Amino acid sequence: MNARHTRKTRRGMVAVAIASVALFAAGCGAEEKPSENKPASTSATPQQGASTAQGSQKAEEPTETLALAKGQKGLELAINSAERDTGGFLTVKGQLRNRSDSSLALPSQMSGDETEVVKHGTSLGGATLVDSVGKKRYYVLRDTDGRPLTTIGLDILPAGKAVDVFLQFPAPPANSTEVSFQLPTFEPAALKLS
């Protein structure tokens, strides 16, 4: 009797486990439609890549340059936005441009010299923000795998071309309204924060 009861109990537990897995799998495929009253959630980490165009939408041309960092051989980084978010981050967006008449291999020094960052390829991981009022330096954030939260995979930039880039930093305090943006091989640039 005990063995028969044990088998029935095991079969019941297996049936419950299978039903739970089936319900879980069905739930994973369901799409939640955002409420009209609730704003769509945004990710704290911008997607990596050079293009901001999605589908048939075109990337808008920036209307304002907040800061311009000049590099070697005609490279420029035009910063078009520096936005604080509620999570305590500052996301900087802009365009890396090649103003020269020939294709340029982007300097590997832009990635910085941290082994964890360098192993993920050429990026803007060596960038920092210097808050002279608060006497602090802010580095590009990294994910749990050591990848910098910035555009990665930068290699060669053709003559006269530009690529959209982003960088994410810890946000300086609200009373810090101007920082110095620094990127290896580029001149420092004063960046006003909103």
Side-chain angles (χ1 to χ4, degrees), residues 15-64:
V16 170
I18 291 172
S20 297
V21 169
L23 287 173
F24 177 75
C28 287
E31 259 186 55
E32 182 182 331
K33 293 183 181 179
S35 168
E36 289 184 22
N37 296 334
K38 181 177 134 187
S41 64
T42 57
S43 171
T45 305
Q47 292 195 4
Q48 297 170 356
S51 176
T52 59
Q54 291 182 352
S56 61
Q57 295 177 344
K58 292 182 179 179
E60 292 183 23
E61 282 296 317
T63 56
E64 181 182 8

Side-chain angles (χ1 to χ4, degrees), residues 65 67-71 75-79 92-97 124 127 163 165 167 181 183 186 189:
T65 298
L68 184 65
K70 294 192 177 221
L75 282 177
E76 289 180 353
L77 177 60
I79 297 174
V92 175
K93 294 181 183 176
Q95 290 188 327
L96 184 61
R97 301 177 182 144
L124 304 177
V163 62
V165 296
L167 307 96
F181 176 87
L183 180 65
F186 284 71

Side-chain angles (χ1 to χ4, degrees), residues 57-148:
Q57 295 177 344
K58 292 182 179 179
E60 292 183 23
E61 282 296 317
T63 56
E64 181 182 8
T65 298
L66 301 178
L68 184 65
K70 294 192 177 221
Q72 302 170 350
K73 301 178 183 175
L75 282 177
E76 289 180 353
L77 177 60
I79 297 174
N80 307 111
S81 71
E83 296 179 3
R84 298 174 194 263
D85 71 17
T86 56
F89 305 111
L90 177 74
T91 302
V92 175
K93 294 181 183 176
Q95 290 188 327
L96 184 61
R97 301 177 182 144
N98 178 355
R99 296 283 190 195
S100 75
D101 295 332
S102 59
S103 293
L104 292 174
L106 298 176
S108 61
Q109 294 94 327
M110 292 188 322
S111 301
D113 55 8
E114 292 182 43
T115 307
E116 280 297 310
V117 173
V118 171
K119 75 179 182 182
H120 295 289
T122 305
S123 69
L124 304 177
T128 59
L129 299 177
V130 177
D131 176 5
S132 57
V133 173
K135 299 187 185 333
K136 283 193 173 182
R137 180 181 300 263
Y138 298 90
Y139 294 87
V140 171
L141 293 168
R142 279 86 168 131
D143 69 11
T144 55
D145 293 326
R147 278 188 296 268

